[in-house]
Amino acid sequence: MPPRLDPDRVRDAASRFPPDADGDPPPYGTAGFRAQAPILPPVLLRCGLLAAIKSLAAGKMCGVMVTASHNPEEDNGAKLIGPVGEMMSPEWEDYANRLVAAGSDDQLAAEAAAIWRQEGIDSIDEGRGGPVGGVVVGCDNRPSAGLLVEAALAGVACTGVPVVRAGLQTTPQLHFRVRARNLGQPWGEADYYDRLAMGLAKASRDLVGDAVPGRWAAVGTDGLLLDCANGVGAAKAEALIARLREAGCGWRFDVRNVGPRGLNDRVGADHVEKQRALPLGFETVAKGARCCSIDGDADRLVYFAPDGKRGLTLFDGNKIAALLALYIKDALKGMPGIAETFKVGVVQTAYANGASTNYLKTELGLQPVMTSTGVKHLHREAASFDVGVYFEANGHGTVLFSNDLIAKLRKIEYEDEAARDLLAMAEVMNQAVGDALSGMLMVECILRRKVWGLKEWEDMYTDLPSRQLKVMVADRAVIKTTDAETRCIAPDSLQQGIDAAVARRKSGRAFARPSGTENVVRIYAEAASQGEADSLAKDVARLVHKLAGGIGPVP
Ligand code: 16G
Ligand code: MG
């Protein structure tokens, strides 16, 4: 029977997963829905239903990932995945909000039918829509995942679209798999590990013609300690490492914080980046050891080295982006005459430390593009380049390669080593979304290829001292920003106040933006000294508190 929207099934499913009387449903935030798990079953039902409608409209597979990323274990959420492995467009975010706002069973059936019609699904024939895709549903390792996955599956079932239960997945794995499936490529979980392992073998030049012997062995650097935030990434990192071993890779990995309890609790990329503190379980790690942290759903990556005094040296998303961009620039030097025809770009947000932006400009001759916070914004911008590196300071990011460039590189790969290096990088770096595990392999590969320790990486540039604060407000929407969130246009006079505070500091820069995930206003400040960065952040926090209806004490 062809898929169809059965209003009775919608009503029936909605009555099995009714809205929670005590909690308002969350709005679609920066990266999907996130809330306390008990209020989410009706939201997941709606996400499943919407993904099924999207899949019918596109004639392709779509996905639902049940996760709340780096949030506490009691939270959960949903990330929706479109047919090219991308995050949903703003139009579909609106649809998602409409479905979630439909409180009663009848309202939901009516709203779903309206979207169904709006997308012209009844008039999509096999010729236009192609074969029906389906919806793949995955989840992280939160205890609430089981019920929420069932709710999502019930939503898909309202339409008769085929469903695939992917079980435990990292978010980037699920994005990768949706994209691969729709490109007609192998798309099982094992295919994900294969692609990364084979890509890495080529990137490290071990399995290609003019291999440098022993590249798989550690060159001048020891193994990597990996903090998995007690999340789903732990088991997946172990599976990946097992696949690397099979391929002959002898690199040493020490996988820690493998769960199942303590998800994101003083561990993981968010903790390391925001608190600048060692994750639990790393207290006795030797000074200077190469360590990295991923977050609860393994789409963020930061590196760090313990400083021997319970603190650390951080290698955040900007440092990772700089390393990747340098590697790409070096590869392009090996392709004179051709490289000039490629458009290489780096995308950052306002959180990028000024020193990183300066490095990209002055050392690499790149002009970084700034976007608003949130992977979807950076990803879209990066996709406009032939090679687009994007990273948020918090460790979300990847490197995208255009189809055009891949085709050009394939034509010359047999005679051109640099072309092979770039093609290998495109295999290692997840082309659907930022992926901590794939980023980690690429960083490891580059450090070994360059025979760099952390010291050399650290010395690429020195971050300006910075400080982040958050201000509790009654309604964060009173803050309105422009220019990729670098300037405030409301409330009145806030920006003038920030400008005056910045002008009083050497190399000062500061901004305030409403969070997309919590009801707070976030403040970022940097300056020539830590003291000035701290006092600048405090000044801006005071202004926001005063002009934007702050609640409680000024931070
Ligand atoms: C989400 C976003 C991340 C962004 C962060 C900002 C994705 C997959 N994740 O974690 O990109 O940096 O939100 O949070 O898009 P904020 O708006 O609360 O500062
Ligand atoms: Mg995450």
Side-chain angles (χ1 to χ4, degrees):
M1 205 180 68
R4 69 183 192 92
L5 187 66
D6 181 341
D8 287 338
R9 278 211 217 164
V10 176
R11 280 189 211 99
D12 175 56
S15 65
R16 281 168 44 219
F17 300 99
D20 187 297
D22 300 329
D24 283 338
Y28 193 103
T30 313
F33 294 105
R34 256 176 233 183
Q36 294 257 309
I39 69 168
L40 284 172
V43 175
L44 263 295
L45 166 80
R46 286 151 174 81
C47 288
L49 178 55
L50 189 70
I53 298 176
K54 175 77 188 173
S55 130
L56 283 167
K60 298 254 165 64
M61 176 81 81
C62 290
V64 178
M65 177 70 195
V66 178
T67 181
S69 185
H70 60 279
N71 284 31
E73 185 164 306
E74 318 76 79
D75 288 3
N76 215 324
K79 293 182 174 179
L80 293 167
I81 304 171
V84 278
E86 80 285 21
M87 296 172 76
M88 290 283 177
S89 64
E91 187 194 354
W92 284 82
E93 291 183 0
D94 288 347
Y95 285 159
N97 278 325
R98 271 167 59 181
L99 289 184
V100 167
S104 74
D105 306 356
D106 284 336
Q107 279 166 345
L108 178 61
E111 210 45 270
I115 295 170
W116 186 272
R117 275 195 306 278
Q118 220 163 320
E119 287 300 313
I121 289 176
D122 275 334
S123 61
I124 290 178
D125 56 28
E126 288 283 298
R128 195 185 129 206
V132 169
V135 177
V136 54
V137 180
C139 61
D140 71 18
N141 60 341
R142 289 178 155 77
S144 54
L147 176 65
L148 297 178
V149 167
E150 289 315 312
L153 295 174
V156 181
C158 296
T159 65
V161 166
V163 66
V164 179
R165 286 171 181 263
L168 290 171
Q169 298 284 285
T170 70
T171 295
Q173 274 182 326
L174 204 67
H175 282 264
F176 170 95
R177 294 182 59 188
V178 169
R179 183 172 183 275
R181 155 68 164 67
N182 292 331
L183 288 172
Q185 297 169 351
W187 66 290
E189 185 175 331
D191 300 311
Y192 167 88
Y193 301 122
D194 276 356
R195 185 174 164 103
L196 262 53
M198 290 301 107
L200 182 66
K202 293 178 211 161
S204 65
R205 295 198 182 164
D206 223 24
L207 296 189
V208 287
D210 52 351
V212 180
R215 281 282 179 194
W216 277 126
V219 180
T221 51
D222 271 334
L224 174 71
L225 284 88
L226 167 60
D227 157 33
C228 294
N230 295 316
V232 66
K236 305 305 179 186
E238 276 162 357
L240 174 63
I241 292 163
R243 183 68 190 84
L244 294 177
R245 297 262 175 280
E246 266 172 47
C249 174
W251 295 358
R252 281 198 287 124
F253 295 93
D254 178 349
V255 180
R256 299 189 175 190
N257 293 334
V258 296
R261 297 262 73 86
L263 175 67
N264 298 329
D265 181 9
R266 288 162 291 164
V267 293
D270 191 58
H271 170 78
V272 169
E273 193 252 341
K274 291 242 170 62
Q275 309 303 327
R276 305 281 158 114
L278 293 174
L280 292 183
F282 282 66
E283 298 80 0
T284 57
V285 171
K287 180 179 172 186
R290 195 167 73 262
C291 306
C292 74
S293 279
I294 65 177
D295 73 331
D297 63 340
D299 62 356
R300 289 191 189 190
L301 171 71
V302 295
Y303 269 69
F304 63 94
D307 65 4
K309 293 174 278 183
R310 300 218 148 213
L312 52 81
T313 306
L314 179 69
F315 299 76
D316 65 0
N318 305 313
K319 266 269 156 72
I320 296 172
L323 184 69
L324 296 169
L326 172 66
Y327 180 79
I328 292 163
K329 276 288 193 177
D330 283 348
L332 293 180
K333 278 191 200 141
M335 316 175 74
I338 310 173
E340 293 71 29
T341 64
F342 303 166
K343 263 188 355 184
V344 180
V346 180
V347 186
Q348 300 187 313
T349 71
Y351 287 106
N353 194 283
S356 75
T357 311
N358 190 44
Y359 173 85
L360 294 169
K361 284 186 193 166
T362 55
E363 300 295 323
L364 300 187
L366 294 164
Q367 182 60 47
V369 178
M370 295 287 163
T371 70
S372 299
T373 299
V375 169
K376 59 193 174 197
H377 302 298
L378 289 102
H379 190 96
R380 259 173 233 147
E381 200 60 54
S384 67
F385 294 98
D386 287 312
V387 187
V389 181
Y390 75 85
F391 262 90
E392 292 188 311
N394 60 25
H396 276 293
T398 190
V399 183
L400 299 179
F401 291 78
S402 71
N403 292 337
D404 215 33
L405 177 60
I406 296 283
K408 278 188 197 156
L409 295 174
R410 289 223 188 289
K411 280 197 195 130
I412 54 170
E413 68 178 310
Y414 293 104
E415 66 269 19
D416 196 317
E417 193 169 60
R420 289 199 294 276
D421 281 344
L422 291 178
L423 284 168
M425 188 178 201
E427 273 181 54
V428 176
M429 297 306 289
N430 192 323
Q431 295 297 291
V433 78
D435 181 337
L437 296 180
S438 96
M440 172 189 89
L441 292 188
M442 200 65 225
V443 168
E444 290 297 297
C445 175
I446 295 174
L447 293 178
R448 284 172 169 84
R449 290 258 322 248
K450 295 178 81 62
V451 198
W452 268 18
L454 291 182
K455 179 80 180 80
E456 287 83 358
W457 188 10
E458 188 187 352
D459 286 347
M460 285 178 83
Y461 62 83
T462 306
D463 273 332
L464 282 168
S466 66
R467 175 66 58 206
Q468 295 193 40
L469 294 174
K470 58 181 177 180
V471 180
M472 308 283 281
V473 289
D475 176 14
R476 64 186 148 154
V478 300
I479 301 259
K480 303 230 180 311
T481 64
T482 185
D483 289 349
E485 301 178 320
T486 53
R487 299 188 66 75
C488 291
I489 46 176
D492 275 354
S493 76
L494 174 57
Q495 189 58 47
Q496 281 145 282
I498 296 176
D499 288 343
V502 165
R504 291 196 294 275
R505 273 82 188 193
K506 186 162 175 241
S507 305
R509 187 171 70 88
F511 63 88
R513 57 172 281 276
S515 156
T517 62
E518 288 179 67
N519 199 22
V520 298
V521 176
R522 296 205 194 280
I523 314 284
Y524 175 90
E526 65 184 31
S529 69
Q530 190 62 55
E532 282 181 299
D534 290 349
S535 70
L536 177 55
K538 262 195 176 304
D539 281 0
V540 176
R542 248 180 247 122
L543 281 165
V544 167
H545 197 273
K546 181 163 145 223
L547 299 171
I551 303 174
V554 184

